[in-house]
Structure formats: structure tokens, C-alpha cells
Amino acid sequence: MVFAKENTMATIQTADGTELFVKDWGSGRPLVFVHSWAVTNDIWQVQHAHFAAAGHRIVAFDRRGHGRSDQPGTGYDLDTLADDLARVLAARDVHDATLIGHSLGCAEIVRYLTRHGTGRVARIALIAPTTPLLRKSADNPDGIDNALFEATRAAWLRDFPSWVADNAPPFFVPETSRAMIDWAIAQITQIPLAIALACNKVGTDSDTRAELAAITLPALVIHGTHDVSAPIALTGARTARLLPRCRYQVYDGAPHGLMFTHADRLHADLAAFMAGD
């Protein structure tokens, strides 16, 4: 594994002056990781270690408001988040990339492609996506009633740390260590509550159905049958049907945090996908 000295710049600046923390390791075909709601790019740390050792360039960043990036009071909409991703790719001069997203990060990838084009991207992998639309509406009758989302956000306003502690275990599997679960809780509770609320609303309300159908890049969708954060029938299955060139893989028994619980299988499937197009 080679860590190129020229790729060590810790931050880049977005159009509105927000400083984003960026990890840029090594050389080779670049993998760009976009993380999920309320955590940091460290949610991908197992994949970073594995694929850096395999000779890939690893590019990842903390979303605005998260982790080591600035915490501005604005910019928590899907267009701005996609523009931030575009800025990372441009600032780090990334080409021929595989974009790998988890949960909310998948929506950011989709919006990036439809807003900024595919010139820097070779393929995409959407892991446990929240796309195409979670919220129930007249033309999405099988979605989740918005009242449930509002009740959840109201509970956060009363006691966010308690809600996170109660809901962290289903992110994993029963045999996951207490230390790993506590690490996830610490990741989530570090985010300012106002930003957690704003980004959650982006995840529940964003409608990417038409955008997914317009993406012609090779795509991989991986989703677990025991995902309680993004139920597979509403998210992964529908996302896969909408993407014109999609390889869809279902992990029986896997939860939302399958990058930890099913890491070996995920690594093999990502490698096979990247080798096969």
C-alpha cells in the first residue's frame, strides 16, 4: 500500500466557503466513498483498509456538518450536498472513479450524476440505499407515512442520545460487540442536532426516481433483508429496478450496517463488480 505524499491535503473548500475534511490515500483506480447520515467517512474504515491494501486510491470525506468538516448553518439540501461531492472530485482531480455510497450517501451520488454528469465516474455502487423515495405520497402509496418521520424527529428533540442508543443495535447483528455498537453511537451523537434533523429530512423526502432511470453507468446495488433503517422492498429493490444497467445483490439476514457485519462478502462483490465492466 502506497500513501502518496501529494495526496495528503486534509481539507478542501466548497463554493460557500465550507471546509470539508478529505482523506486521499494511495494511487491506482480511485474509489470514492460517500457516508451515511450522522456519521463520518470512518463508517467505511474497514473498506478503506482493505481496498488501499489491494492497490486502490481511496478518497473519502466528512459531509458538511459532520465529523472533522465545518458545521455551517445552511447547505443541508440534496443539491448542495451533491455540489460538495463534485467539489471534492474536482479538487482532488479524480477520474475513472467508482463512487460507493451508503444510505443517504447513495442519494448524493445520484444527484451528483444528474447535476454534474458522468465525466469523472466509471461506475457506482449503492449500498443499503435510501433511494428512490422513502416518504409516502399520492404516487408512492407504499412509502412510510410522514407522521412517523415527524414523530421520530420530535423524539430526537426530547432526547437524541437516548434514541440513538435504543436504535443502534439493529444497525448491526446480535453477535456484534458492545464496543462496536458504542463506537457507532459516539459517531452519531457527535453531530449537532439541527444538522441531524435537516439531513434526515433530506433522506426521507428526496425523490430520485426519475434520476435513477436516467443513469446509464454500470451500477451495483447491495441490500440486506434485515435492514430496518431502509426496508429493502421500499429502497434497494426499487432502486435496482430503476437503474438501467444494474447488478442487484441481496444479503440474506444483513442489517443496514453490512459494511461491518458482511465486510468480506461486500469486498468480494465490489471487487468482482469493478473487474467485470
Side-chain angles (χ1 to χ4, degrees), residues 24 30 57 87-95 120:
D24 190 348
R57 179 183 175 190
R87 179 61 184 147
V88 171
L89 297 182
R92 302 311 301 139
D93 194 27
V94 174
H95 296 275
R120 296 181 179 273

Side-chain angles (χ1 to χ4, degrees), residues 21-236:
F21 174 84
V22 179
K23 178 186 297 180
D24 190 348
W25 290 354
S27 57
R29 296 181 73 182
L31 309 184
V32 179
F33 291 87
V34 187
H35 65 80
S36 40
W37 167 85
V39 291
T40 74
N41 82 77
D42 291 336
I43 199 75
W44 292 113
Q45 61 179 313
V46 176
Q47 287 67 49
H48 294 169
H50 175 84
F51 284 107
H56 286 276
R57 179 183 175 190
I58 304 300
V59 179
F61 66 102
D62 291 351
R63 180 186 296 111
R64 65 170 57 218
H66 295 63
R68 292 146 290 195
S69 292
D70 284 352
Q71 298 178 352
T74 58
Y76 304 101
D77 59 272
L78 198 55
D79 284 352
T80 302
L81 297 177
D83 292 349
D84 288 351
L85 172 57
R87 179 61 184 147
V88 171
L89 297 182
R92 302 311 301 139
D93 194 27
V94 174
H95 296 275
D96 192 33
T98 298
L99 304 186
I100 304 172
H102 179 246
S103 196
L104 174 61
C106 299
E108 292 171 70
I109 287 172
V110 171
R111 182 59 54 86
Y112 164 79
L113 292 173
T114 57
R115 190 169 169 86
H116 294 277
T118 61
R120 296 181 179 273
V121 183
R123 67 198 65 79
I124 62 172
L126 308 181
I127 313 302
T130 56
T131 53
L133 176 60
L134 287 175
R135 182 172 50 81
K136 185 176 183 179
S137 61
D139 63 348
N140 190 43
D142 296 328
I144 299 169
D145 197 302
N146 192 56
L148 178 59
F149 296 130
E150 292 294 345
T152 298
R153 290 189 279 260
W156 296 354
L157 287 167
R158 291 190 296 272
D159 191 341
F160 187 50
S162 176
W163 185 93
V164 173
D166 290 343
N167 287 273
F171 187 87
F172 298 101
V173 291
E175 56 268 31
T176 302
S177 71
R178 184 70 238 180
M180 178 66 78
I181 294 172
D182 288 344
W183 175 85
I185 291 170
Q187 282 261 310
I188 297 171
T189 53
Q190 56 79 37
I191 187 174
L193 179 56
I195 296 171
L197 290 164
C199 289
N200 176 261
K201 191 165 179 60
V202 170
T204 61
D205 292 1
S206 294
D207 184 352
T208 59
R209 288 174 290 183
E211 293 169 273
L212 285 162
I215 294 172
T216 58
L217 291 173
L220 173 67
V221 173
I222 294 177
H223 216 111
T225 59
H226 285 32
D227 191 328
V228 299
S229 300
I232 186 172
L234 184 61
T235 55

